[in-house]
Amino acid sequence: SNGNTENALTLSLREPGEGESCDMAIPVELGQHKFGGWARDQWFSYTADKDAEITFTTTGTLKYISSNCDDTNSQNETGVYRAHKGQTFFICVTTENTTTNYLVIEQKELVAGDYCDFPIDFALGNDIVIKDRGDDVVNYRRFTAEESGTVIFNTTCATWVESGWSIVFRNDCEGKALDYVRHEFEDENTGDLGLSYRIPVTKGETYIIEIASFINNGEDAIMTSQF
């Protein structure tokens, strides 16, 4: 009535396009994947073809990694992920420019002993030998008790004794830590200070030993075992 023209704003909604949301993630395989367009979040999915270690790197920013499209961001500090065959990872990469970007997915063989569900099996009476890999590493070993009684683990590795490497005994990866007795001893032959761990076991049951080790001057750390 006053002759002024009113401005109008029209909103329209559309479904997310390919790669614009987790449930529309673009399936990719191992190797390098190029993407671009505009500054945005870009979603990809990768399904492992075998049990392995997987790393994801990008020229953008790795914003989100999860095994499903929920609010659980499973990123870790190491950037290395334990993948089980058939497991799908959802990866969100955010970019701040319109230039070409890359997502690189790489796969490495699992190292026995690096994961609780992929431990090194040994028989009681044999030594546990931990290689110095130049870094702090968690080692997993597994044995089955042939009889009920007490198993004794001893070590005189100086770095182990002085640094107090941690050790945990479990029946399985998800089980609670089992009780054990720990004490120091002096080796009767060398006079070296050692540590002894005694754990009660039940015939037929399986036990997993989790050992957090440190750099050991390039030498093997050895623990003896006896029933």
Side-chain angles (χ1 to χ4, degrees):
S1 59
N2 59 11
N4 292 332
T5 301
E6 294 184 0
N7 294 323
L9 176 64
T10 301
L11 296 176
S12 60
L13 299 176
R14 67 173 176 82
E15 293 296 323
E18 186 181 43
E20 294 181 349
S21 66
C22 185
D23 57 359
M24 292 292 290
I26 300 171
V28 290
E29 298 180 350
L30 292 171
Q32 178 175 275
H33 308 280
K34 182 171 66 175
F35 65 98
W38 60 90
R40 59 172 175 169
D41 288 349
Q42 179 75 58
W43 287 88
F44 302 91
S45 65
Y46 168 73
T47 300
D49 61 355
K50 67 178 189 178
D51 283 14
E53 286 189 344
I54 304 295
T55 57
F56 304 96
T57 55
T58 178
T59 54
T61 300
L62 200 56
K63 184 177 180 180
Y64 188 98
I65 293 178
S66 183
S67 293
N68 47 54
C69 290
D70 59 15
D71 294 330
T72 304
N73 193 338
S74 302
Q75 290 192 70
N76 61 51
E77 294 181 358
T78 66
V80 180
Y81 297 83
R82 163 64 156 104
H84 298 271
K85 182 178 181 179
Q87 179 181 359
T88 298
F89 293 85
F90 294 92
I91 310 104
C92 179
V93 178
T94 185
T95 58
E96 300 178 355
N97 53 58
T98 59
T99 60
T100 299
N101 283 278
Y102 296 91
L103 171 68
V104 180
I105 305 175
E106 298 175 290
Q107 177 177 273
K108 291 177 61 178
E109 297 290 334
L110 292 177
V111 177
D114 277 4
Y115 295 92
C116 186
D117 63 351
F118 194 48
I120 296 175
D121 289 307
F122 75 98
L124 289 177
N126 294 337
D127 293 345
I128 295 176
V129 180
I130 300 175
K131 298 291 183 181
D132 183 354
R133 292 163 59 182
D135 202 354
D136 299 349
V137 178
V138 178
N139 297 265
Y140 295 92
R141 310 295 165 120
R142 180 173 59 191
F143 71 93
T144 299
E146 296 183 358
E147 300 290 341
S148 297
T150 300
V151 176
I152 303 171
F153 298 96
N154 290 334
T155 182
T156 54
C157 171
T159 305
W160 191 322
V161 175
E162 294 169 2
S163 302
W165 293 8
S166 67
I167 185 167
V168 178
F169 298 93
R170 291 188 176 90
N171 283 122
D172 57 67
C173 294
E174 304 301 323
K176 293 182 179 180
L178 303 175
D179 292 333
Y180 64 88
V181 175
R182 172 184 178 274
H183 72 272
E184 295 182 351
F185 68 93
E186 183 177 294
D187 188 281
E188 59 183 15
N189 296 316
T190 65
D192 292 337
L193 181 66
L195 288 177
S196 179
Y197 305 85
R198 296 171 179 261
I199 175 174
V201 297
T202 302
K203 181 179 180 178
E205 289 196 8
T206 298
Y207 298 85
I208 293 174
I209 309 174
E210 175 185 317
I211 304 169
S213 65
F214 301 100
I215 298 172
N216 190 39
N217 302 315
E219 300 179 354
D220 296 344
I222 298 176
M223 170 184 274
T224 63
S225 68
Q226 65 185 80
F227 187 79

